[in-house]
């Protein structure tokens, strides 16, 4: 399938600007920002095993689009003719390498500083409006598509949306203004459960860091430079993964009611494969003797 056909298959549009959520005259920095945000949602290392294949394809599509929109000639061809050249397809590792080269690792301080700048900003208001329209008023959708959004932020962003509705900036969706109590309670229970799990994970990470620090000190005292470098490398990777998991909570999270269980599909595939295998494993035919003659089996 072509890139545009894959766009339609996985993102329900052949318009790459609409897919990325940017204007046709968007600058490279805006394209990079949009690509980063969307690629976090589908990064194959950040989804359950059952979704890895589809996530990988989505990731490749987004990376391809990023390359097209940041290449002057390729972008001009798409703008003028609505086509994308697919002759330069690469392996998945190339897409992952591209992503890792574009974006530097995040530190906890980076995330904290950005959150302080983002919350209450015009950008956050724009994202809330976009999420409200994209989810047609679904609060779960808004929570999952606006960065750093937590349950305790509901009263604040509800006021923001209410003011938009009053000013006729957005239509009124009953699912927002008259959300069923059962749906709200389910969301609150989900976030309370996740918050408890996050606290446990945070404690584990803290204990692991303390052990790593002790190990580094012991290695440093013993003077083994090679082991010290390896320990620091492992510690950085562990810290980086935990920080990314926190950031991805707002992008990769899905409403429980919208979650698809792919395990049943895997079981059906395995059952079909097993049945087909049994059919092919027939006992071999052998020669037989009948009326003094050797009869060969018919092929």
């Amino acid at each position: 399938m072509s890139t545009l056909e894959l766009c339609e298959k996985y993102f329900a549009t052949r318009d790459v600007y609409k897919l990325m959520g940017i204007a046709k005259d968007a600058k490279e920095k805006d394209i990079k920002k949009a690509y980063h945000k969307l690629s976090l949602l589908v990064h194959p290392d950040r989804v359950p095993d059952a979704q890895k294949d589809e996530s990988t394809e989505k990731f490749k599509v987004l990376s391809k689009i990023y390359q097209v929109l940041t290449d002057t000639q390729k972008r001009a061809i798409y703008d003028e003719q609505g086509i994308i050249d697919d002759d330069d397809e690469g392996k998945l590792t190339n897409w992952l390498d591209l992503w890792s080269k574009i974006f530097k690792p995040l530190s906890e301080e980076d995330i904290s500083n950005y959150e302080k700048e983002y919350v209450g900003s015009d950008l956050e208001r724009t994202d809330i409006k976009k999420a409200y329209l994209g989810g047609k008023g679904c609060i779960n959708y808004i929570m999952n598509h606006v960065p750093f959004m937590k349950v305790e932020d509901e009263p604040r962003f509800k006021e923001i949306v209410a003011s938009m509705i009053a000013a006729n900036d957005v239509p009124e969706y009953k699912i927002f203004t008259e959300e069923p109590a059962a749906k709200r309670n389910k969301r609150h229970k989900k976030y309370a459960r996740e918050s408890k799990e996050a606290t446990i994970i945070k404690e584990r990470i803290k204990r692991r860091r303390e052990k790593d620090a002790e190990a580094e000190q012991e290695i440093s005292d013993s003077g083994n430079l090679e082991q010290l470098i390896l320990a620091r490398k492992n510690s950085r990777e562990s810290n980086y993964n935990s920080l990314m998991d926190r950031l991805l909570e707002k992008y990769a999270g899905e409403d429980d009611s919208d979650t698809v269980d792919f395990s049943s599909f895997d079981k059906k595939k395995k059952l079909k494969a097993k049945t087909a295998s049994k059919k092919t494993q027939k006992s071999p035919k052998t020669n037989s003797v009948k009326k003094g003659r050797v009869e060969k089996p018919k092929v």
Side-chain angles (χ1 to χ4, degrees):
M1 298 179 71
S2 69
T3 297
L4 292 180
E5 288 174 334
L6 291 172
C7 285
E8 189 169 20
K9 177 181 178 180
Y10 293 116
F11 301 98
T13 181
R14 296 173 72 97
D15 185 338
V16 300
Y17 293 106
K18 181 179 179 181
L19 190 160
M20 299 287 279
I22 56 177
K24 286 195 67 173
D25 59 349
K27 304 297 183 184
E28 185 169 342
K29 65 177 182 179
D30 297 320
I31 297 171
K32 180 179 178 180
K33 180 180 177 182
Y35 168 57
H36 185 229
K37 183 175 180 179
L38 288 174
S39 62
L40 283 176
L41 287 169
V42 300
H43 196 292
D45 291 342
R46 300 293 173 179
V47 298
D49 290 339
Q51 301 176 20
K52 279 190 180 295
D53 290 342
E54 181 175 331
S55 179
T56 295
E57 293 305 315
K58 288 182 177 180
F59 187 85
K60 290 168 65 177
V61 170
L62 290 175
S63 299
K64 174 68 176 181
I65 292 173
Y66 174 79
Q67 283 193 323
V68 169
L69 294 181
T70 53
D71 184 291
T72 304
Q73 292 184 342
K74 292 179 180 179
R75 185 174 181 180
I77 292 174
Y78 174 78
D79 289 343
E80 294 174 5
Q81 304 178 35
I83 60 176
I84 290 178
D85 182 11
D86 291 317
D87 290 339
D88 58 350
E89 288 292 340
K91 296 181 180 179
L92 174 62
T93 52
N94 293 337
W95 303 115
L96 295 175
D97 289 344
L98 169 68
W99 195 87
S100 62
K101 290 176 181 177
I102 295 173
F103 307 110
K104 69 180 183 66
L106 295 171
S107 68
E108 189 168 3
E109 185 179 3
D110 291 332
I111 297 174
S112 178
N113 290 337
Y114 180 70
E115 181 178 3
K116 291 176 182 178
E117 295 177 1
Y118 178 82
V119 174
S121 67
D122 291 338
L123 178 58
E124 183 197 41
R125 185 180 179 89
T126 300
D127 286 346
I128 290 174
K129 180 179 179 179
K130 187 183 298 183
Y132 175 79
L133 294 172
K136 296 188 182 302
C138 177
I139 295 179
N140 290 344
Y141 185 93
I142 297 173
M143 297 286 292
N144 288 332
H145 286 76
V146 178
F148 308 110
M149 190 65 69
K150 299 178 285 293
V151 170
E152 49 266 36
D153 293 316
E154 282 189 29
R156 182 175 65 84
F157 82 74
K158 282 183 177 179
E159 288 183 6
I160 294 174
V161 174
S163 66
M164 292 179 182
I165 295 174
N168 293 322
D169 288 340
V170 296
E172 178 181 348
Y173 293 112
K174 295 295 183 182
I175 193 174
F176 179 86
T177 56
E178 300 176 10
E179 184 186 36
K183 183 179 180 180
R184 181 172 58 254
N185 292 337
K186 182 179 179 181
R187 179 175 63 255
H188 289 182
K189 288 180 180 179
K190 175 187 175 184
Y191 276 89
R193 182 175 67 253
E194 290 178 350
S195 178
K196 184 177 180 180
E197 292 172 353
T199 300
I200 295 173
I201 293 173
K202 187 176 180 180
E203 288 298 321
R204 289 176 181 172
I205 293 173
K206 182 180 178 181
R207 289 196 296 270
R208 190 189 308 138
R209 286 176 177 174
E210 291 174 350
K211 289 182 179 179
D212 289 343
E214 292 176 0
E216 283 190 21
Q217 185 60 46
E218 291 178 1
I219 294 171
S220 179
D221 292 341
S222 65
N224 193 325
L225 180 59
E226 182 179 351
Q227 291 185 33
L228 176 60
I229 293 174
L230 179 60
R232 286 180 176 174
K233 177 179 179 294
N234 292 336
S235 179
R236 284 196 300 271
E237 290 178 352
S238 175
N239 294 340
Y240 170 70
N241 288 332
S242 64
L243 290 169
M244 289 299 294
D245 288 338
R246 287 174 52 195
L247 180 62
L248 288 170
E249 282 182 5
K250 302 320 304 169
Y251 295 104
E254 295 291 343
D255 181 17
D256 288 342
S257 61
D258 297 331
T259 301
V260 179
D261 181 9
F262 289 93
S263 60
S264 59
F265 294 96
D266 293 334
K267 290 178 181 177
K268 290 180 180 178
K269 289 181 180 178
K270 291 179 180 178
L271 181 60
K272 288 182 178 179
K274 186 176 182 181
T275 303
S277 177
K278 286 183 177 180
K279 288 182 178 179
T280 57
Q281 293 177 356
K282 295 181 179 179
S283 58
K285 296 181 179 179
T286 58
N287 297 342
S288 61
V289 178
K290 187 176 182 180
K291 295 180 179 181
R293 294 182 179 180
V294 177
E295 292 187 351
K296 296 183 180 180
K298 295 182 179 180
V299 180

